[in-house]
Amino acid sequence: MEHWARAVVLFLLLPALVQSAVLRYKFDVVMKNTTKLCSSKAIVTVNGRFPGPTLYVREGDNVLVMVNNHVNYNVTIHWHGVRQLRTGWSDGPAYIAQCPIQPTQSYLYNFTITGQRGTLLWHAHISWLRATVHGAIVILPRRHTPYPFPKPHKEEIIILAEWWKADTEAVVKQAMSIGLPPNVSDAHTINGRTGPVRNCSSQSTYTLHVESGKTYLLRIVNAAVNDELFFKIAGHRLTVVEVDASYTKPFLTDTIYIAPGQTTNALLKADQPAGKYLIAISTFMDAPVAIDNLTNYAILRYHGTPPGTSVALTAMPAINATASQSNFTNSLRSLNSKKYPATVPLVIDHSLFFTMGVGVDPCPTCMNGSKLVGDINNISFVLPTIALLQAHYFSISGVFTDDFPANPPIPFNYTGNSTANLRTMNGTRVYRLPFNSTVQLVLQDTALVAPESHPTHLHGFNFFVVGMGMGNFDPNEDPKGFNLVDPVERNTIDVPTAGWTAIRFRADNPGVWFLHCHLEVHTTWGLKMAFLVDNGEGPNESLVPPPKDLPKC
């Protein structure tokens, strides 16, 4: 474990039988002068690092992270994918779970890892600060519990991200002022490195060192702000064994698709002749939307490879390779073993249908007199000025309403050429769920401005992806094909372009939980909402009281 983490072990019985620990981390949010693409700027970082430090924990550990804000921005940290059972105060999204940590202020995040093991990520959850404020979370199994796959020789973390030459906060501010999409990033990064760049010789390239015959576990994290990515290693196949900290049935692939906010663990066997092999990432976008379409490169190098050895190359999928994306997604299945069962809800209490897309609203001060907005069920979400969780817990009226619609207010041909519902309604509305109720949620993309995929993240829960398809969801026919046996379990899932995704989950976590597109451009425009889950019976089914150092708005 890295030197900035201190672990205080709780001895439950004997040292050899230790099952949980209290882990203390210190996150100092500071500015750091950084040069990439032959251009320098100051970026917001944790502990002066990009990417930020990795949290190493075990299932069952209690994690305490003290975040000290030394920059002139408001800050929050989200522990993406951590269930946060009854600890919504530590979830992190600004004005949903907490008010931001203001400059010079601090906040202690306090949560326990329950029933999870694998790879997740943490990132800032306010404005676009997560462009540089992010890192990995490695959740090891409980002590003396093996992986449900062959033990690797070594583990490697690979974090994929985006890089702007400009200040990202200035980029989004300008875009919001004119009502148009923000400028796309200038490059992708692999573990903070942009790789070889034309006309810029100062760039560094990430190298993955391997030994022939050994097996490596790659913990791959997509921390990009807006880009869905393909990942590939020349001459090698990867065995996927886990996504979003949930074990999967192993399957072989030469290409991994990974959306912003998603994580994938894959076994790499170094079974090729000694040499250098290209590691490449490229963008996936099957809609007419501007993106950063540059491919970034890293190198896999075998031990003993002579200097000057040429690099074995690989061909990446086309930018609009929908088949490659869907083939990977459809290959994922829960492990569904006796030890790790797939507990899919079979009886549904709340059947919801949410349309997701982009609309156009009037904006007299914008460039064209209008602005692009994101919406769910035709509602563009407006962030409150006090956190929803605080308003809920302290019964503060006037902050939100609990009348978010279960279905679109006006049904229409969602993936057809309709312009009937370009205008949206603004509101801070939540959907209320009783504790322990079961939910089926169908997420439907729309083509009002342009059809586009939406990697969607649900805070506070894992869900099962029971179905996915193209066109408009058919409530009579499509459920017949749902996988209710071993669907993949995730916290972030893609809603395909001009298509739909169906998920199921149990609302067993009291609090207020964010649902949003994890493309930051869409979240900024309002493509988000929240679920309010009521307390159950007794303290073990109720939200814990807020901590004394909870930030104030």
Side-chain angles (χ1 to χ4, degrees), residues 373-376 379-382 521-529:
V373 296
D375 66 272
I376 300 178
I379 298 171
S380 187
F381 189 87
V382 178
V521 58
H522 291 166
T523 302
T524 302
W525 286 346
L527 208 166
K528 49 198 175 187
M529 59 82 65

Side-chain angles (χ1 to χ4, degrees), residues 170-388:
V171 168
V172 66
K173 183 177 180 180
Q174 179 195 36
M176 294 300 289
S177 69
I178 63 176
L180 295 176
N183 293 334
V184 300
S185 57
D186 296 293
H188 296 112
T189 61
I190 301 176
N191 284 351
R193 303 178 185 184
T194 56
V197 177
R198 184 178 298 175
N199 301 322
C200 184
S201 61
S202 63
Q203 303 308 305
S204 61
T205 301
Y206 169 71
T207 300
L208 173 62
H209 296 276
V210 299
E211 297 180 36
S212 293
K214 303 290 187 181
T215 299
Y216 298 80
L217 180 65
L218 305 185
R219 297 179 178 269
I220 307 168
V221 175
N222 187 347
V225 175
N226 292 314
D227 287 351
E228 302 167 68
L229 298 169
F230 291 118
F231 176 92
K232 196 172 182 181
I233 302 177
H236 294 75
R237 301 187 77 188
L238 301 165
T239 301
V240 175
V241 293
E242 175 257 309
V243 294
D244 293 0
S246 295
Y247 292 135
T248 65
K249 289 182 172 65
F251 78 92
L252 272 171
T253 181
D254 64 358
T255 303
I256 285 176
Y257 160 80
I258 186 166
Q262 290 184 336
T263 60
T264 299
N265 281 8
L267 294 173
L268 164 70
K269 189 170 184 180
D271 58 1
Q272 297 300 303
K276 294 191 294 186
Y277 297 82
L278 198 71
I279 301 173
I281 60 172
S282 64
T283 314
F284 167 70
M285 173 54 72
D286 59 353
V289 176
I291 56 165
D292 174 359
N293 63 357
L294 295 178
T295 299
N296 189 9
Y297 304 100
I299 299 295
L300 181 148
R301 185 186 183 109
Y302 279 77
H303 178 71
T305 298
T309 301
S310 61
V311 179
L313 305 181
T314 187
M316 297 301 291
I319 191 171
N320 62 346
T322 304
S324 296
Q325 185 264 0
S326 59
N327 286 343
F328 178 86
T329 301
N330 293 335
S331 297
L332 294 169
R333 294 286 186 273
S334 287
L335 187 59
N336 194 26
S337 65
K338 184 176 180 180
K339 187 175 180 62
Y340 304 106
T343 55
V344 188
L346 300 179
V347 178
I348 298 301
D349 300 317
H350 292 257
S351 185
L352 310 179
F353 183 73
F354 288 0
T355 57
M356 310 178 72
V358 176
V360 179
D361 280 1
C363 177
T365 61
C366 293
M367 180 178 292
N368 300 318
S370 62
K371 64 179 180 180
L372 293 171
V373 296
D375 66 272
I376 300 178
N377 277 356
N378 211 43
I379 298 171
S380 187
F381 189 87
V382 178
L383 283 177
T385 55
I386 183 174
L388 294 182

